Amino acid sequence: MRTPVGDTGIRTESMTLATETTELDVTLGPRGAQVRAGGGALRVLTQSCDGARVRVAVVPERALLLAGDDVVFRVHVGEGVQLHLQDIAGTIAHDMRGGQARWRFEVDIAADGCLLHEALPWVSAQGSCVERDLILDLAPSAAALLRETIVLGRHGEWPGQLVSRTRVARDGIPVLVEDLHAADLAPARVLDAVYAFGVESPPAPGATRLVTAGGEVIHRVLGDAAHHACAVLDQVWRQTLSEVPNTS
């Protein structure tokens, strides 16, 4: 029998989720950056290495997400490394027919490290039921620039059930703790966001700009269609990216 868990909107099942963990470890050695990766439901492909700058692509090994999936992507950005992480395909949480799935993205960034991740849209299809976590741990001098787009339901669909949790800490001190339920966004169907941690990111027309007590910046746009919401933050992303050293 399905029973609710608190007020999360996610229901548990009498089933065991199969955890698949992909590890990505990028460190700086005597001859430049070194990339070690493997495991799990994701394939990591190194596109370029130029000194301390690394660009990698992430490709799903199969259809994601399906009922019973428990996908973990664990990333370590070493001291002085700039990692540009590129999605090759967006993620669709498919109709799970009463099942559920989990997705967890864990990142730790060492001193003077930097992560750039422009994620492709995450789609919560009708009938899906997902818990999604972003956990980011920053050293005092680390930086991260992240882009995420959440789309609630494909065209003509109702949204799936989604709880998206974000936990960001700098030097062990929380700077962003947020739980987002899909129902919180109604009647909007799209939430587009740019997170700038340790990176200058000025205001932009049409976007809501939030600044934490520590000076971290979050830009957001709510909309009814992805292309409308994204048009505003595409410009924010490009402008903020230009503020990050050595990204040319």
Side-chain angles (χ1 to χ4, degrees), residues 23-34:
E23 303 270 0
L24 171 59
D25 185 14
V26 186
T27 55
L28 193 58
R31 299 183 179 179
Q34 299 176 333

Side-chain angles (χ1 to χ4, degrees), residues 15-227:
M15 62 184 292
T16 301
L17 300 184
T19 302
E20 298 175 273
T21 302
T22 302
E23 303 270 0
L24 171 59
D25 185 14
V26 186
T27 55
L28 193 58
R31 299 183 179 179
Q34 299 176 333
V35 179
R36 299 178 182 85
L42 304 172
R43 180 183 300 180
V44 178
L45 305 173
T46 302
Q47 296 180 307
S48 64
C49 278
D50 180 11
R53 293 184 295 174
V54 179
R55 181 183 292 268
V56 303
V58 181
V59 184
E61 294 278 17
R62 55 175 176 79
L64 295 174
L65 285 167
L66 305 176
D69 284 342
D70 185 6
V71 176
V72 179
F73 187 26
R74 189 170 293 140
V75 178
H76 170 67
V77 181
E79 185 173 348
V81 172
Q82 184 185 97
L83 172 62
H84 197 146
L85 190 61
Q86 180 179 358
D87 286 352
I88 297 300
T91 301
I92 299 177
H94 295 274
D95 187 348
M96 296 175 184
R97 296 176 173 82
Q100 66 177 33
R102 297 192 186 105
W103 176 279
R104 187 178 177 96
F105 183 32
E106 302 177 2
V107 185
D108 73 274
I109 307 176
D112 300 320
C114 179
L115 172 67
L116 309 172
H117 184 210
E118 186 177 12
L120 292 176
W122 168 286
V123 180
S124 177
Q126 182 173 331
S128 63
C129 183
V130 179
E131 294 184 12
R132 179 176 180 265
D133 293 275
L134 167 62
I135 300 172
L136 179 60
D137 188 7
L138 297 150
S141 57
L145 178 59
L146 312 175
R147 175 78 177 274
E148 71 171 15
T149 306
I150 295 175
V151 181
L152 300 175
R154 290 173 290 198
H155 181 70
E157 288 185 340
W158 289 99
Q161 295 184 70
L162 173 67
V163 174
S164 185
R165 293 182 287 259
T166 303
R167 304 288 186 269
V168 182
R170 185 178 289 281
D171 197 23
I173 300 172
V175 298
L176 178 62
V177 176
E178 180 179 65
D179 289 8
L180 173 68
H181 299 203
D184 296 340
L185 301 181
R189 301 291 296 271
V190 178
L191 174 62
D192 198 16
V194 171
Y195 299 90
F197 302 106
V199 180
E200 292 293 329
S201 188
T208 299
R209 183 175 183 264
L210 309 174
V211 182
T212 71
E216 320 288 6
V217 177
I218 302 142
H219 300 272
R220 283 182 171 155
V221 174
L222 279 169
D224 296 323
H227 62 283

